[in-house]
């Protein structure tokens, strides 16, 4: 456990340093406008945080590929993946950190114009409204206050639900517990080429996972807290079921 805590702290220090560099290069995440998504953005919405090795950004495509420009800012990082398709791009930059005999991985991921998941229907368009509704907030990483840009709660919730990985589901439970379910229905038609995927993920993946008898133990371990009761869990499930109608 002590080794894991050391690695988690070292990883956060590196992420904080990379974000500060990115903020400087992009003029405060404004040129291009870089919207922080993923696990680190959760800190903008709820007073909880979890350890994660990936720091994810969404951005709209410029006249030229923005990821090509960002790549030049991090010549000391390994570009693990660089994909440029007709309508979207993706880049993953990797940094390895060593503490004594241990190694940890930290990555910066950039999704340009679309967030594309593992399934062909898991696609989210990064439209002008996604960028326009994003908000400037201050979060804390490695005890450092850092000003970032995050999606509005509605769009962040949609991102999490469509992805629906185990870590996303734990984030969704935290969000619904603290903030309730946002109004998403009109927005789904704008941002999702396949809007039904949202409801399918909530019904078939997210709710069954939260219903599992082991969920509370897993959730508390993820966020290192004793909060979140059986009643809290049931309230979250009820709100998600109501969302699906």
């Amino acid at each position: 456990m002590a080794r894991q805590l050391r690695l988690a702290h070292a990883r956060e220090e590196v992420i904080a340093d990379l974000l500060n560099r990115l903020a400087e290069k992009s003029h405060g995440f404004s040129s291009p406008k870089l919207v922080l998504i993923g696990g680190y953005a959760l800190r903008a919405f709820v007073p909880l945080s979890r350890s994660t090795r990936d720091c994810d950004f969404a951005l709209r495509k410029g006249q030229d590929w923005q990821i090509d420009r960002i790549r030049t800012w991090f010549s000391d990082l390994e570009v693990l993946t660089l994909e440029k398709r007709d309508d979207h791009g993706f880049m993953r930059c990797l940094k390895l950190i060593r503490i004594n005999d241990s190694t940890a991985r930290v990555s910066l991921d950039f999704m340009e114009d679309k967030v594309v998941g593992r399934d062909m229907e898991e696609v989210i368009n990064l439209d002008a409204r996604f960028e326009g509704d994003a908000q400037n907030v201050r979060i804390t990483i490695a005890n450092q206050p850092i000003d970032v840009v995050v999606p509005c709660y509605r769009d962040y919730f949609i991102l999490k639900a469509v992805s629906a990985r185990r870590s996303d589901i734990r984030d969704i439970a935290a969000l619904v517990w603290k903030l309730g379910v946002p109004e998403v229905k009109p927005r789904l038609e704008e941002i999702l080429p396949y809007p039904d995927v949202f409801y399918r993920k909530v019904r078939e993946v997210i709710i069954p996972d939260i219903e599992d008898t082991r969920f509370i133990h897993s959730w508390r371990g993820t966020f290192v807290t004793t909060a979140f009761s059986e009643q809290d869990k049931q309230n979250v499930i009820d709100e998600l079921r109501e969302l699906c109608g």
Side-chain angles (χ1 to χ4, degrees), residues 167-228:
S167 58
D168 296 310
I169 295 170
R170 278 132 193 81
D171 291 350
I172 286 170
L175 292 166
V176 176
W177 177 40
K178 291 295 185 181
L179 300 174
V181 172
E183 176 57 55
V184 298
K185 188 173 182 178
R187 184 66 171 137
L188 296 178
E189 299 289 339
E190 297 174 349
I191 202 171
L192 301 182
Y194 307 97
D196 288 345
V197 72
F198 174 89
Y199 294 108
R200 177 168 57 81
K201 287 297 186 75
V202 174
R203 285 193 306 265
E204 300 177 11
V205 181
I206 296 169
I207 291 176
D209 193 354
I210 298 175
E211 287 178 322
D212 191 287
T213 56
R214 298 163 293 182
F215 182 80
I216 288 181
H217 178 74
S218 173
W219 189 96
R220 289 173 174 174
T222 296
F223 293 109
V224 195
T225 178
T226 58
F228 199 66

Side-chain angles (χ1 to χ4, degrees), residues 23-244:
E24 180 181 0
K25 293 290 188 179
S26 64
H27 305 286
F29 302 104
S30 66
S31 179
K33 189 165 188 177
L34 299 171
V35 182
L36 181 67
I37 58 175
Y40 280 103
L42 182 72
R43 304 179 188 199
F45 300 97
V46 297
L48 296 165
S49 63
R50 61 176 173 83
S51 178
T52 176
R53 62 190 182 185
D54 303 326
C55 192
D56 306 315
F57 289 91
L59 63 154
R60 299 194 71 211
K61 192 176 184 304
Q63 187 172 6
D64 298 313
W65 287 102
Q66 306 276 26
I67 51 178
D68 284 339
R69 177 183 171 196
I70 295 168
R71 183 182 182 183
T72 66
W73 298 343
F74 294 99
S75 59
D76 56 320
L77 304 186
E78 177 187 357
V79 177
L80 195 63
T81 306
L82 181 62
E83 298 177 355
K84 291 181 283 188
R85 307 292 177 86
D86 291 340
D87 59 354
H88 70 278
F90 174 77
M91 179 172 68
R92 169 166 291 174
C93 299
L94 178 70
K95 183 178 181 69
L96 294 177
I97 56 177
R98 299 185 184 276
I99 303 176
N100 298 328
D101 59 343
S102 300
T103 303
R105 190 191 83 173
V106 169
S107 68
L108 294 181
D109 291 356
F110 299 91
M111 285 147 267
E112 188 163 344
D113 237 37
K114 294 180 186 293
V115 176
V116 179
R118 294 153 292 186
D119 187 279
M120 64 171 291
E121 293 186 350
E122 295 174 15
V123 179
I124 300 171
N125 293 321
L126 303 175
D127 62 1
R129 189 176 178 190
F130 177 87
E131 185 178 79
D133 288 352
Q135 51 198 340
N136 296 287
V137 298
R138 177 168 291 179
I139 63 173
T140 300
I141 301 177
N143 297 319
Q144 294 186 48
I146 301 178
D147 294 321
V148 296
V149 181
V150 299
C152 68
Y153 179 43
R154 176 202 62 228
D155 287 353
Y156 185 64
F157 190 89
I158 294 171
L159 284 164
K160 285 287 174 184
V162 172
S163 178
R165 297 170 301 177
R166 294 198 70 195
S167 58
D168 296 310
I169 295 170
R170 278 132 193 81
D171 291 350
I172 286 170
L175 292 166
V176 176
W177 177 40
K178 291 295 185 181
L179 300 174
V181 172
E183 176 57 55
V184 298
K185 188 173 182 178
R187 184 66 171 137
L188 296 178
E189 299 289 339
E190 297 174 349
I191 202 171
L192 301 182
Y194 307 97
D196 288 345
V197 72
F198 174 89
Y199 294 108
R200 177 168 57 81
K201 287 297 186 75
V202 174
R203 285 193 306 265
E204 300 177 11
V205 181
I206 296 169
I207 291 176
D209 193 354
I210 298 175
E211 287 178 322
D212 191 287
T213 56
R214 298 163 293 182
F215 182 80
I216 288 181
H217 178 74
S218 173
W219 189 96
R220 289 173 174 174
T222 296
F223 293 109
V224 195
T225 178
T226 58
F228 199 66
S229 67
E230 285 287 350
Q231 187 58 58
D232 295 325
K233 168 183 161 177
Q234 189 58 52
N235 291 342
V236 167
I237 292 169
D238 291 345
E239 289 202 50
L240 290 172
R241 284 177 176 158
E242 185 177 354
L243 169 66
C244 293

